């Protein structure tokens, strides 16, 4: 073998291996394949569990049957992985690596993707945009619609009706002082009244959010979201109100012991698990909680576990004398966004996924739909209550960490947990938010 | 075969100097061809997946970048000054060093002691060795989740399995293992010791098998007891093993991430955060790729300095000629 051929073989082998390695890294892309006959649409969602995973597969199959030559590749990923790692990396890689249809979170979360020019403006899909009504507001950036919510609802207090009865609570509390009475009765009956997964930060932070939307006027909230300046005194007042409420009780109350080591969901010792095993009587959480609790009920079947019969829901009571809008609620949902260079058929798929028929079947699985008319599919009485509560809320404020974006969100959540269970002060929460905003 | 065409005559009166040079040049070329053929792919993979990300992280750390769109907000050393001023980062660095020091002070001696005991003729020795090694074989996630569930308690009406056990032997108010800021790092150290002690013991046992039998016989003839024999013969001869174990332990403690992430997530209130946990929480989880990269660079530099210093001073005899250029 002469010098040249040795070199060539070495180079060839190296290049070949590198090419193989790199080819292996590139996911199947969108657009037409080599033959030019088939269009492939990639669709990423967060329905990793059943029945959702199979449901989205079925919907994709139905669309393929109606659209010969279109191939839909559906993949499910855990929410945080999807939102924090997979989608940003795929969008940054661009081209074939980016998914065509994928989940987007509202307001501050979607903004960076819009600013980088990765999302298609969906405003032209007027029927779809109108069908979701006010729920779509959070995905409207600078007057253009970049996401269509498929799931939307307000959070409330999930409670155990049996434990309420045992503790002698006959009326659902309508004000915070009635709510405190209920907590005392539950504690006297030997149950931990309220469970909170402060180990994950955000479940505890939602308590402060609730006090903030009930303490701050809608104008103050809008101004803070627009300017990302948190100097309005109502933010300090919200922390004072929260702390004053927590200090009303003896010992660890109103929350269970060791809240800062309790995760939010997925495992038996999470706050969802404590509610499911009837150790705690209540938990403040979003619409998805029905499914989380059902999964963690001791002895629940692995596939499609039913929600326990005692699981009930009530809106968060109003705080007497607070200057926030009465009936204001906290909530949001998950939406579909479309990659800027996605094939045109993706919009047709989106229209199909958001059709009243698909949304009605989605609702029948125990979800809260967004399309008007699809609520007919809701069979669960608790979810019906949440859907009504969402429609009746005087104002739905998006989760504050979603609204202000992840950087401020994380600093705010950490400061709130520190205020509730550490040595933080009511002032330290807006201070941390302002400091985080300064790094943006 | 092309090699035949270029080969010189089989017998010569003595190769001319020019031909000799040509031959050796050809040999060198061939040698490099072979090296690139066999090592090339591995070097390429190393460059793409190890060296390039390190360099990119260093580059990103000078930007305010959320991972989306162009890198156009150069902020110089701002990420570093912000990082070095953050008390949570200080706490994280402290926690890494806490684990290093405690491992060296407690895990190492414990492993040597158990290895010495297990090196004697024992019934079920093979079974014992296997049992001790089991935690190391388990994945971090499985072990972490198991410990999280075992230690989680919601007194007064739902005690976790571990606390129930303690209460059954009369310890009524066990500490809040994962919820108390003053206790949580000791809990983490306990879990890590449970997980990694087996590896240390197996390493020490391997080291012990290399101690020549004659030395023990000589000591016995001199009338040395068991303790004296271990202290003056076994432990000094275990030196290289101990130094390598300590090196692995230090590097492992600096990288500590998965167990903490699963068991406490860095909580409560960041009390069990480590540098790697801090990096993921403040970099990846909130899409601050520039800031996260700055944390990664600092973590890399700390690890590099410690590794170099350790190799230069502690491992110099063990690695003579390999890394330190033949120190005798």
């Amino acid at each position: 073998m002469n010098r040249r051929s040795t070199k060539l073989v070495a180079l060839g082998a190296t290049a070949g291996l590198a090419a193989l390695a790199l080819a292996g890294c590139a996911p199947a892309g969108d657009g037409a394949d080599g033959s030019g006959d088939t269009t492939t649409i990639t669709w990423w969602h967060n329905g990793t569990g059943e029945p959702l995973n199979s449901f989205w597969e079925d919907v994709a199959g139905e669309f393929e049957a109606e659209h010969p030559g279109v191939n839909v590749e559906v993949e499910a990923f855990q929410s945080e992985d999807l939102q924090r790692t997979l989608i940003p990396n795929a969008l940054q890689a661009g081209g074939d690596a980016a998914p065509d249809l994928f989940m987007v979170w509202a307001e501050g979360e979607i903004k960076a993707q819009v600013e980088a020019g990765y999302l298609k403006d969906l405003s032209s899909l007027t029927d779809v945009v109108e069908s979701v009504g006010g729920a779509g507001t959070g995905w409207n950036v600078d007057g253009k619609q970049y996401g269509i919510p498929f799931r939307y609802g307000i959070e409330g207090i999930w409670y155990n009706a049996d434990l309420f009865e045992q503790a002698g609570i006959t009326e659902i509390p309508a004000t915070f002082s009635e709510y405190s009475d209920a907590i005392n009765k539950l504690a006297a009956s030997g149950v931990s009244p309220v469970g909170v997964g402060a180990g994950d930060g955000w479940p505890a932070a939602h308590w402060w959010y609730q006090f903030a939307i009930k303490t701050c006027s809608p104008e103050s909230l809008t101004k803070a979201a627009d300017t990302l300046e948190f100097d309005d005194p109502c933010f300090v007042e919200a922390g004072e109100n929260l702390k004053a409420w927590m200090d009303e009780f003896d010992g660890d109350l109103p929350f269970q012991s060791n809240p800062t080591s309790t995760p939010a969901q997925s495992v038996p010792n999470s706050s969802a698990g404590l509610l499911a095993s009837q150790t705690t009587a209540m938990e403040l959480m979003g619409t998805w909680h029905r499914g989380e609790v059902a999964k963690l009920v001791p002895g629940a079947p692995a596939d499609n576990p039913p929600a326990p019969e005692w699981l009930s829901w009530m809106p968060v009571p109003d705080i007497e004398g607070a200057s926030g809008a009465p009936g204001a609620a906290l909530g949001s949902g998950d939406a579909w966004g479309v990659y800027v260079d996605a094939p045109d058929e993706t919009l047709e798929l989106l229209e199909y996924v958001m059709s009243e028929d698909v949304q009605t079947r989605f609702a029948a699985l125990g979800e809260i739909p967004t399309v008007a008319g699809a609520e007919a599919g809701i069979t669960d009485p608790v979810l019906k209550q949440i859907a009504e509560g969402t429609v009746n809320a005087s104002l739905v404020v998006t989760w504050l960490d979603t609204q202000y974006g992840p950087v401020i969100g994380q600093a705010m959540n950490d400061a709130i947990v520190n205020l509730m269970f550490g040595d933080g002060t009511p002032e330290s929460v807006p201070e941390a938010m302002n400091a985080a905003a300064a790094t943006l | 075969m092309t090699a035949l065409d270029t080969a010189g005559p089989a017998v010569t009166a003595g190769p001319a100097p020019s031909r000799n040079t040509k031959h050796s040049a050809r040999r060198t070329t061939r040698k490099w061809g072979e090296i690139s053929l066999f090592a090339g792919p591995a070097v390429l993979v190393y460059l793409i997946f190890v060296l390039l990300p390190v360099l990119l992280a260093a580059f990103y750390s000078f930007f305010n970048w959320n991972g989306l769109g162009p890198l156009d907000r150069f902020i110089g050393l701002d990420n570093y000054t912000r990082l070095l001023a953050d008390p949570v980062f200080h706490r994280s660095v402290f926690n890494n060093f806490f684990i290093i020091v405690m491992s060296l002070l407690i895990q190492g001696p414990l492993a040597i002691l158990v290895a010495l005991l297990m090196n004697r003729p024992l019934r079920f020795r093979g079974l014992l060795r296997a049992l001790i090694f089991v935690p190391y074989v388990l994945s971090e996630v499985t072990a972490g989740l198991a410990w999280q569930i075992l230690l989680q308690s919601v007194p007064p009406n739902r005690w976790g399995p571990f606390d129930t056990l303690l209460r059954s032997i009369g310890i009524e108010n066990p500490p809040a293992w994962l919820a108390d800021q003053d206790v949580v790092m000791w809990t983490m150290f306990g879990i890590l010791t449970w997980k990694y002690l087996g590896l240390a013991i197996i390493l020490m046992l391997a080291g012990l098998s290399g101690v020549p039998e004659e030395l023990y016989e000589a000591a016995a003839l001199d009338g040395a007891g068991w303790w004296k024999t271990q202290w003056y013969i076994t432990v000094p001869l275990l030196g290289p093993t101990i130094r390598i174990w300590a090196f692995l332990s230090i590097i492992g403690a600096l990288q500590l991430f998965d167990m903490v992430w699963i068991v406490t997530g860095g909580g409560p209130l960041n009390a069990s955060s480590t540098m790697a946990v801090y990096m993921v929480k403040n970099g990846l989880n909130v899409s601050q790729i520039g800031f996260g990269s700055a944390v990664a660079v600092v973590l890399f530099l700390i690890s590099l300095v410690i590794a170099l210093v350790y190799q230069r001073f502690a491992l110099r005899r063990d690695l003579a000629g390999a890394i330190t250029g033949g120190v005798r």
Side-chain angles (χ1 to χ4, degrees), chain A residues 228 230 406-412 430-440, chain B residues 82 288:
Chain A
L228 296 185
F230 306 95
V407 176
I408 298 177
Q410 164 125 343
M412 169 174 67
E431 274 167 18
M433 292 158 79
N434 281 326
T439 68
L440 291 174
Chain B
R82 186 180 143 203
Q288 284 189 303

Side-chain angles (χ1 to χ4, degrees), chain B residues 258-279:
Chain B
D258 7 19
M259 191 60 96
V260 175
W261 191 251
I262 299 291
V263 179
T264 64
L269 303 166
N270 296 313
S272 64
S273 180
T274 63
M275 283 188 277
V277 167
Y278 181 88
M279 174 177 75

Side-chain angles (χ1 to χ4, degrees), chain A residues 114-203:
Chain A
V114 172
E115 279 168 2
Y118 293 137
L119 296 183
K120 206 185 260 276
D121 177 8
L122 305 173
S123 308
S124 58
L125 302 176
T126 40
D127 289 350
V128 181
V129 175
E130 279 169 18
S131 73
V132 300
T137 318
W139 290 268
N140 192 305
V141 183
D142 299 330
K144 292 178 181 168
Q145 195 71 27
Y146 288 97
I148 310 286
F150 59 97
R151 168 198 278 146
Y152 191 85
I154 58 168
E155 78 173 355
I157 292 167
W158 295 81
Y159 68 95
N160 184 323
D162 288 354
L163 293 178
F164 265 43
E165 203 183 312
Q166 277 169 34
I169 303 163
T170 47
E171 292 278 315
I172 294 306
T175 63
F176 245 77
S177 54
E178 285 174 29
Y179 186 58
S180 297
D181 289 344
I183 287 171
N184 284 325
K185 282 183 185 167
L186 284 162
S189 76
V191 220
S192 287
V194 187
V196 63
D200 281 331
W202 59 267

Side-chain angles (χ1 to χ4, degrees), chain A residues 204-212 235 239 242 400 412 416 419 429:
Chain A
H206 278 211
W207 279 102
W208 186 90
Y209 300 174
Q210 288 288 351
F211 276 83
F235 288 108
L242 168 62
L400 300 187
M412 169 174 67
I416 293 171
L419 163 71
V429 178

Side-chain angles (χ1 to χ4, degrees), chain A residues 1-3 10 17-18 84 92 112 118 190 192 256-258 260-261 263 268-269 277 279 406-407 410 417-418 439-440, chain B residues 1-3 29 41 44 64-69 73 148-149 152-155 157-158 178-179 268-269 281 285-286 288:
Chain A
M1 195 179 274
N2 64 24
R3 191 159 120 190
L17 278 168
R84 292 277 172 257
Q92 184 68 16
Y118 293 137
S192 287
Q256 89 279 11
S257 299
N258 299 345
T260 50
S261 64
N269 56 342
S277 64
T279 306
V407 176
Q410 164 125 343
V417 176
N418 206 11
T439 68
L440 291 174
Chain B
M1 188 70 186
T2 47
T29 311
L44 199 73
N64 184 347
W65 189 46
N66 60 13
L68 298 172
R73 293 177 62 198
Q148 210 237 2
I149 291 171
Q152 175 70 54
S153 260
V154 184
N157 39 24
R158 185 160 133 162
L178 302 175
L269 303 166
K281 222 173 147 183
N285 274 11
V286 293
Q288 284 189 303

Side-chain angles (χ1 to χ4, degrees), chain A residues 8-9 13 37 48 87 141 145 156-157 193 201 260 280 339 408 412 427 437:
Chain A
L8 275 177
V9 168
D37 294 325
T48 47
I87 290 176
V141 183
Q145 195 71 27
I157 292 167
T260 50
T280 54
Y339 180 57
I408 298 177
M412 169 174 67
E427 290 78 19

